[in-house]
Amino acid sequence: MKSSVIEIAPGTYRISTFHPDFGLQFNQFLVDDDEPFLMHTALKKMFPVTLAGVSSVLDPTKVRWIGFSHFESDECGALNEWLRVAPRAQAACSFVGANVMVNDFADRPARALADGEVLEIGRHRLQFLSTPHVPHCWDAGLFFETVDRTLLCSDLFFHPGDVEAATEADVVGRAREAIVKNKSGPMGKDMPYTADTDPTLRRLAALQPRTIALMHGSTFRGDGERALLDLAGVIRETLGTP
Ligand SMILES: [Fe+2]
Ligand SMILES: [Fe+2]
């Protein structure tokens, strides 16, 4: 496996590795600034590939923040490897994530972020949004880079395949197809539909992102508000009814 790296917004890099066993891309996002921020570590077993991708952009020992949405191996499985490589690195996640999972799992304590709290990392600002159960897990949250309006959306808009790095085409249709296809399979119960699901997606849409950085699939460039409202409709239709 090998990572491919492109800049998706000024100073924000998509480090993408296609994993043939899963048939999907694992995408990490590196925001290069005074305090470099890495969104997702990818799987622990992918650490050497991810490290090589990050090293092609900056000195990996300088990584300061490791953000992720929720406690799963593709989100933070290589956290301890990163904490070893980068002596100043610290996980940044939700209060629940830090206190229920990460502070036991990780070799150094995480910074627990409150809903709406902003990490000022230099030119870029990363706002943490608490989004329990969106895309899934109690501890879930997302980051929004407010200067260039990039939403780091984790598993939202999930679509498989070794797809193009970035697109202005319809990612909602691809996400719908994946949800419908997965629904009856062993991975089909990934997203519970709760009373908070639709308001959370509407809150994300109101941020009006210009770029939506998907963990699995192509980065979307275009009308992020429309894409998120359309995704909310798809999720309501496919998961919100029995
Ligand atoms: Fe996930
Ligand atoms: Fe994921």
Side-chain angles (χ1 to χ4, degrees):
M1 282 185 289
K2 194 174 178 311
S3 294
S4 64
V5 180
I6 66 155
E7 191 173 13
I8 56 159
T12 299
Y13 297 84
R14 174 186 189 267
I15 296 161
S16 178
T17 310
F18 178 73
H19 198 308
D21 295 352
F22 296 96
L24 32 119
Q25 293 171 336
F26 291 84
N27 303 322
Q28 300 83 53
F29 297 93
L30 179 64
V31 186
D32 182 9
D33 214 315
D34 299 342
E35 298 187 2
F37 175 96
L38 178 66
M39 179 69 175
H40 323 131
T41 68
L43 303 173
K44 181 175 168 177
K45 289 179 179 165
M46 292 171 71
F47 177 66
V49 207
T50 310
L51 178 66
V54 170
S55 303
S56 72
V57 178
L58 51 77
D59 175 356
T61 67
K62 300 283 191 268
V63 170
R64 174 66 180 93
W65 298 108
I66 297 168
F68 49 90
S69 167
H70 48 276
F71 191 76
E72 284 182 343
S73 282
D74 61 344
E75 296 267 351
C76 60
L79 176 59
N80 284 327
E81 281 66 19
W82 277 104
L83 296 182
R84 257 167 245 144
V85 160
R88 292 187 63 239
Q90 188 176 9
C93 61
S94 69
F95 177 87
V96 172
N99 287 284
V100 178
M101 279 80 89
V102 179
N103 287 350
D104 182 61
F105 165 82
D107 294 340
R108 292 199 291 277
R111 174 159 164 185
L113 297 169
D115 184 35
E117 192 171 346
V118 173
L119 281 181
E120 307 269 3
I121 65 164
R123 188 183 81 79
H124 298 87
R125 304 172 77 248
L126 287 146
Q127 184 175 34
F128 178 74
L129 305 151
S130 175
T131 62
H133 303 295
V134 177
H136 41 237
C137 302
W138 176 31
D139 56 320
L142 301 174
F143 286 88
F144 181 57
E145 200 292 300
T146 66
V147 177
D148 299 314
R149 313 195 74 77
T150 302
L151 178 65
L152 304 168
C153 75
S154 179
D155 297 329
L156 291 175
F157 298 95
F158 169 100
H159 54 270
D162 199 8
V163 290
E164 70 273 43
T167 186
E168 293 177 10
D170 173 34
V171 284
V172 180
R174 295 184 196 176
R176 185 183 193 287
E177 196 180 320
I179 292 170
V180 171
K181 198 171 167 195
N182 288 346
K183 208 175 164 184
S184 54
M187 309 285 261
K189 302 282 186 217
D190 61 316
M191 186 172 182
Y193 195 87
T194 76
D196 293 327
T197 305
D198 198 63
T200 299
L201 291 165
R202 287 177 178 280
R203 180 187 180 204
L204 298 175
L207 299 170
Q208 300 184 321
R210 279 202 285 259
T211 304
I212 302 182
L214 281 67
M215 185 187 209
H216 310 285
S218 302
T219 289
F220 173 71
R221 290 190 180 118
D223 185 344
E225 180 179 24
R226 184 73 263 152
L228 282 152
L229 291 174
D230 288 349
L231 182 70
V234 164
I235 288 173
R236 188 166 55 243
E237 173 208 334
T238 53
L239 305 175
T241 49

